[in-house]
Amino acid sequence: MSWENNIRKVVPYVPGEQPRERNVIKLNTNENPYPPSNAIKTALAATDIGSLRLYPDPAAGDLVEAVADVYGLKKSEVFVGVGSDDVLAMLFMTCFHSGKPILFPDITYSFYDVWADLMEIPYEKQPLDENFCIRAEDYLKPNGGIVFANPNAPTGEFLALSEIEKIVAGNPDSVVICDEAYIDFGGESALPLIHKYDNLVIAQTFSKSRSLAGLRIGFAMANEKLIKYLNDVKYSFNSYTMNRTVISIGAAAVRDTGYFKNCCKRIMETRERAEEEFRNLGFRFRKSSANFIFVSHPKVPAEEIFRYLKEHKIYVRWFNKPRISNYLRVTVGTDAEMANLFACLRTIPGIAEESGEA
Ligand SMILES: *Cc1c(COP(=O)(O)O)cnc(C)c1O
């Protein structure tokens, strides 16, 4: 016997690789290829270093206010955290406390089952249909809560708001978390539904559409009662998750909506062109509503393509998991990065033949 018997043992979430090597084309973790808003530079320059001796505002009020202003909400309807991973973990801890199994898709963000295991929350995965779509009916059964990503990851599939409303309206006794990490790339946010349903919470992040994965800011939007419960749990865990610098530069960044919208537009345009290229090379995929495309090739196994690209310093994501092991998730980069990707793919024999260029 030893102290090890008393340890909490978990299988951690494994994020996509962050290669240390330079000059790689990084299309594996859905980061934004464009730099963040210039408003950050101004806000950083105005930072009073002396103020860092003081604890930050535990409510991160300036950042909460900026998000509330941009999304037309009251401050009491917004919660912020250290990336949406922190926000989602707090939501799991706060909202999934019934002891009944929570429901989420079998193919989705792979952090959901990690948090559930960590917090000893029982769960039942609901299989996506053959097109990798969520079936709303699967979520109309007794449960202790529901979480899904829309658009879903790693599929890029968008679920219509009418289907989301069915799930939310059919579960008045459960909190439904809609993880909208990729909503700014062409989807339609379920945000307006929070005023109609008090059991719906929307989680979003600055990491993808606002080019700030390195800063770590995420937020949740819901009715003020739910946000209050969420803050109570947060203050019972760590009052000072957001530091002073992040609060002030994050607030400046989110207010620059023009720059943000333009970046999203450029990424969506590149995505359209990339879909055309993938089609020409014989890849199979469904229309993406995110900043990545989930592709598979009828002739060349995904694992082979993944390794070949990696040898050529192009990183994409391959998940060695049931149902999706023959797919690759390719982040939409700049036009130049995508051109490099397609040039490299054309040198793979089975793919070159498919494109008629062998
Ligand atoms: C990237 C991602 C997140 C987390 O993003 P943060 O960087 O922690 O804000 C959450 N959910 C999904 C589906 C994601 O893809």
Side-chain angles (χ1 to χ4, degrees), residues 225-331:
K225 201 196 264 182
L226 196 151
I227 296 296
K228 160 85 168 56
Y229 284 127
L230 194 51
N231 270 313
D232 288 346
V233 168
K234 177 222 153 134
Y235 295 141
S236 309
F237 193 77
N238 178 354
S239 312
Y240 305 115
T241 54
M242 316 286 292
N243 67 64
R244 278 181 172 270
T245 312
V246 159
I247 291 170
S248 68
I249 65 183
V254 73
R255 289 187 190 279
D256 189 356
T257 51
Y259 177 77
F260 148 77
K261 285 189 180 145
N262 188 43
C263 280
C264 293
K265 181 165 163 280
R266 286 171 78 182
I267 289 167
M268 287 187 276
E269 286 165 358
T270 303
R271 182 181 69 204
E272 300 287 316
R273 289 190 280 268
E275 285 179 338
E276 191 58 40
E277 293 262 19
F278 275 125
R279 200 169 293 120
N280 293 339
L281 295 179
F283 281 88
R284 309 277 158 85
F285 57 90
R286 284 170 58 88
K287 183 97 205 66
S288 167
S289 297
N291 67 337
F292 54 82
I293 308 170
F294 196 53
V295 301
S296 96
H297 197 277
K299 299 248 173 70
V300 192
E303 183 179 4
E304 227 171 83
I305 304 174
F306 167 74
R307 298 201 188 285
Y308 183 92
L309 290 174
K310 193 167 165 178
E311 272 165 33
H312 292 79
K313 296 193 177 193
I314 300 175
Y315 286 69
V316 299
R317 194 85 190 265
W318 172 63
F319 298 92
N320 190 10
K321 287 190 173 173
R323 295 185 75 189
I324 58 168
S325 60
N326 200 28
Y327 285 80
L328 294 173
R329 190 196 67 191
V330 181
T331 305

Side-chain angles (χ1 to χ4, degrees), residues 13 29-30 81-88 108-112 115 148-154 179-182 203-208 212-214 216-219 291-292 329:
Y13 171 75
T29 53
N30 299 341
V82 187
S84 58
D85 286 344
D86 176 48
V87 172
L88 289 163
T108 190
Y109 190 37
S110 41
F111 228 136
Y112 301 154
W115 285 316
F148 55 84
N150 196 39
N152 199 6
D179 177 354
E180 293 189 337
Y182 300 104
Q204 290 191 13
T205 174
F206 285 27
S207 296
K208 278 74 181 229
L212 286 168
R216 312 305 301 131
I217 299 178
F219 55 107
N291 67 337
F292 54 82
R329 190 196 67 191

Side-chain angles (χ1 to χ4, degrees), residues 58-59 64 74-80 90-91 93-95 175 198 200-201 220-237:
V64 165
K74 293 187 275 189
K75 285 181 73 172
S76 52
E77 295 168 322
V78 175
F79 174 87
V80 297
M90 288 290 146
L91 281 167
M93 210 185 296
T94 310
C95 306
V175 171
D198 63 2
L200 173 65
V201 51
M221 301 175 284
N223 78 88
E224 51 192 13
K225 201 196 264 182
L226 196 151
I227 296 296
K228 160 85 168 56
Y229 284 127
L230 194 51
N231 270 313
D232 288 346
V233 168
K234 177 222 153 134
Y235 295 141
S236 309
F237 193 77

Side-chain angles (χ1 to χ4, degrees), residues 11-166:
V11 182
Y13 171 75
V14 184
E17 213 175 327
Q18 292 291 345
R20 310 235 3 227
E21 198 183 1
R22 277 162 199 262
N23 304 320
V24 303
I25 295 183
K26 207 175 162 306
L27 307 173
N28 67 333
T29 53
N30 299 341
E31 286 137 333
N32 198 306
Y34 302 112
S37 157
N38 263 327
I40 294 193
K41 241 180 227 167
T42 320
L44 261 182
T47 300
D48 168 18
I49 305 291
S51 73
L52 295 180
R53 71 192 177 78
L54 301 170
Y55 280 109
D57 170 10
D62 292 348
L63 182 55
V64 165
E65 187 174 336
V67 171
D69 285 352
V70 167
Y71 288 88
L73 300 171
K74 293 187 275 189
K75 285 181 73 172
S76 52
E77 295 168 322
V78 175
F79 174 87
V80 297
V82 187
S84 58
D85 286 344
D86 176 48
V87 172
L88 289 163
M90 288 290 146
L91 281 167
F92 270 54
M93 210 185 296
T94 310
C95 306
F96 295 162
H97 189 57
S98 70
K100 286 185 273 183
I102 62 165
L103 309 179
F104 52 83
D106 62 337
I107 301 165
T108 190
Y109 190 37
S110 41
F111 228 136
Y112 301 154
D113 51 11
V114 173
W115 285 316
D117 286 334
L118 173 68
M119 298 177 206
E120 298 176 350
I121 299 166
Y123 56 91
E124 284 169 14
K125 294 184 182 185
Q126 307 301 304
L128 296 177
D129 74 11
E130 66 285 358
N131 290 322
F132 292 153
C133 295
I134 290 174
R135 286 178 297 224
E137 316 86 81
D138 294 344
Y139 297 83
L140 302 177
K141 60 176 92 163
N143 65 74
I146 292 168
V147 57
F148 55 84
N150 196 39
N152 199 6
T155 62
E157 197 71 42
F158 177 72
L159 181 66
L161 292 197
S162 54
E163 298 303 294
I164 294 182
E165 185 159 7
K166 266 186 221 164

